[in-house]
Amino acid sequence: MMKSTSFIYQFAKPTDVEQIVTLFKLCLGIEGGAPTLAFWNWKHNENPAGVSPVILAWDQDKLIGIRAFMCFKFIKNNESYVGYRPVDTATHPDYQGKGIFKNLTLTLLEELKKKEENAFVFNTPNSKSKPGYLKMGWIEWGKPFLQLMPTFSILGNSFKKDQERLLNYDFSTISKPESNHLAVYKDAEYLAWRYQKISLQQYGMKIMDVNNTQYTIIYRQKKIKFLNEFRICDVLKNNTICTEISTIILFKLFFSFGFGVLSFINKKTFWFTIKLNNKAPMITYRKIKEEDAMLLFNKVDFSIGELELF
């Protein structure tokens, strides 16, 4: 626990969740993205990678600030890391401009230094919040290879059918993921939590066979003006997480969706896709302990599944 001026900063307790949600409603409004009680618990308390460390700021018994770091388990062969992603934050309208956001963030980082674990912090701040993170020790780590390609099918896209397929899919048969690069550990528990148990159900699944190999595509359908964006979040190849998308899969996906645009992250680029180098999100990074080795961005495999905001 830390006391700054008249404010107290301390870890959230299970009994604080209702007040947390209430403050988000005050700051954002229900239409502005304030989480429900069920969504907050799903995201921060039921995550198989770990319960999110959440720091709260109090003015006596009044909750005035929130800062949550979401947990991701990363693996590389036999090495494991915890990747903390700063996500949800709110400051009471009457207390803005008093340094509460900065104090919450730095207090949480100090607490994480006490843990005996390999860990780092990563996030994708917008242009307004990024300068503040850079001042607190974050660096611009790199941009993923975000690519677009058109899709077209005269039959359209049966999203409800794809959604039902995803909700009924049995992830328990997937193999343990392995990677020579650092990547988010996605086992059956993670995939079920991430795509089946989430209350904001905007995800679907397509399954296709190519040369005796089965590919399972998990995607999010999102409306952008007059187009549908089909966002490839994760790919399974023969029931194992796959970090590379092949040309033939993209060709088949071109005819699997209705009129719209397909978006995906892939380290290999294709001549027929549009590369969004400028519009791809900048991933920022911060070591937690000064003695930690710097992780290299080009040695980390990201998918849209863990980078999109949810």
Side-chain angles (χ1 to χ4, degrees):
M1 182 176 69
M2 169 185 168
K3 188 170 183 179
S4 175
T5 63
S6 60
F7 307 143
I8 294 175
Y9 298 83
Q10 62 185 16
F11 275 111
K13 305 182 296 295
T15 53
D16 296 325
V17 177
E18 289 191 10
Q19 290 189 75
I20 289 172
V21 171
T22 298
L23 181 56
F24 272 109
K25 289 179 181 178
L26 175 65
C27 296
L28 302 176
I30 297 176
E31 297 299 323
T36 63
L37 189 65
F39 188 79
W40 180 271
N41 282 324
W42 167 84
K43 184 175 182 178
H44 294 294
N45 296 324
E46 298 167 11
N47 179 357
V51 175
S52 301
V54 179
I55 288 286
L56 304 179
W58 298 87
D59 184 0
Q60 299 183 44
D61 61 349
K62 182 178 181 180
L63 180 61
I64 60 173
I66 304 161
R67 172 86 274 197
F69 280 16
M70 194 173 178
C71 300
F72 289 87
K73 180 181 178 181
F74 283 76
I75 61 165
K76 176 185 176 183
N77 298 325
N78 294 323
E79 294 181 271
S80 65
Y81 289 79
V82 179
Y84 291 103
R85 184 178 185 185
V87 281
D88 299 307
T89 186
T91 301
H92 193 289
D94 295 341
Y95 292 81
Q96 302 207 356
K98 299 181 182 295
I100 291 173
F101 169 79
K102 180 179 180 180
N103 286 336
L104 283 167
T105 304
L106 295 179
T107 300
L108 188 45
L109 286 170
E110 286 300 316
E111 292 297 326
L112 293 178
K113 286 181 182 180
K114 301 174 185 178
K115 292 191 174 187
E116 296 295 327
E117 60 184 8
N118 294 321
F120 62 96
V121 181
F122 75 100
N123 58 330
T124 54
N126 58 36
S127 58
K128 291 183 179 180
S129 61
K130 188 173 70 173
Y133 282 108
L134 297 180
K135 288 180 181 179
M136 289 188 287
W138 268 253
I139 64 167
E140 293 185 337
W141 204 17
K143 290 186 176 185
F145 291 119
L146 181 62
Q147 302 175 62
L148 297 181
M149 59 171 275
T151 62
F152 180 76
S153 170
I154 58 175
L155 300 177
N157 182 54
S158 179
F159 178 68
K160 288 185 177 180
K161 182 178 178 181
D162 290 347
Q163 186 179 50
E164 183 178 352
R165 181 184 294 116
L166 170 61
L167 293 175
N168 293 323
Y169 191 81
D170 182 9
F171 284 111
S172 67
T173 60
I174 75 166
S175 304
K176 179 182 177 181
E178 295 183 1
S179 176
N180 292 324
H181 284 182
L182 202 62
V184 173
Y185 181 77
K186 300 172 184 177
D187 60 359
E189 186 181 12
Y190 171 88
L191 293 170
W193 166 81
R194 175 68 179 88
Y195 297 113
Q196 293 176 330
K197 296 180 181 179
I198 185 171
S199 58
L200 301 175
Q201 270 301 341
Q202 299 172 308
Y203 298 92
M205 173 184 284
K206 292 187 182 295
I207 298 177
M208 51 190 63
D209 293 313
V210 179
N211 299 328
N212 297 319
T213 300
Q214 185 179 83
Y215 289 88
T216 304
I217 315 295
I218 301 173
Y219 72 94
R220 178 180 177 182
Q221 180 170 297
K222 187 177 181 181
K223 194 76 173 178
I224 301 179
K225 295 183 179 180
F226 60 90
L227 284 177
N228 279 315
E229 178 191 2
F230 305 105
R231 184 179 294 174
I232 304 304
C233 295
D234 275 300
V235 178
L236 299 173
K237 179 181 179 181
N238 287 337
N239 269 353
T240 302
I241 283 290
C242 174
T243 58
E244 290 290 333
I245 301 176
S246 66
T247 303
I248 191 168
I249 292 300
L250 292 176
F251 179 76
K252 291 178 74 70
L253 288 174
F254 175 84
F255 294 104
S256 297
F257 292 109
F259 181 64
V261 62
L262 187 76
S263 62
F264 62 95
I265 289 173
N266 203 61
K267 287 197 170 180
K268 175 184 176 182
T269 58
F270 303 90
W271 64 267
F272 52 85
T273 61
I274 299 171
K275 288 75 176 176
L276 298 182
N277 296 330
N278 293 330
K279 294 189 176 181
M282 171 59 73
I283 302 176
T284 54
Y285 167 92
R286 192 189 195 281
K287 294 192 295 183
I288 292 178
K289 302 173 185 177
E290 288 300 322
E291 64 270 22
D292 290 344
M294 177 72 72
L295 297 175
L296 300 177
F297 180 75
N298 62 1
K299 298 296 184 181
V300 184
D301 286 331
F302 282 109
S303 74
I304 288 180
E306 59 266 12
L307 290 181
E308 72 171 352
L309 299 175
F310 59 91

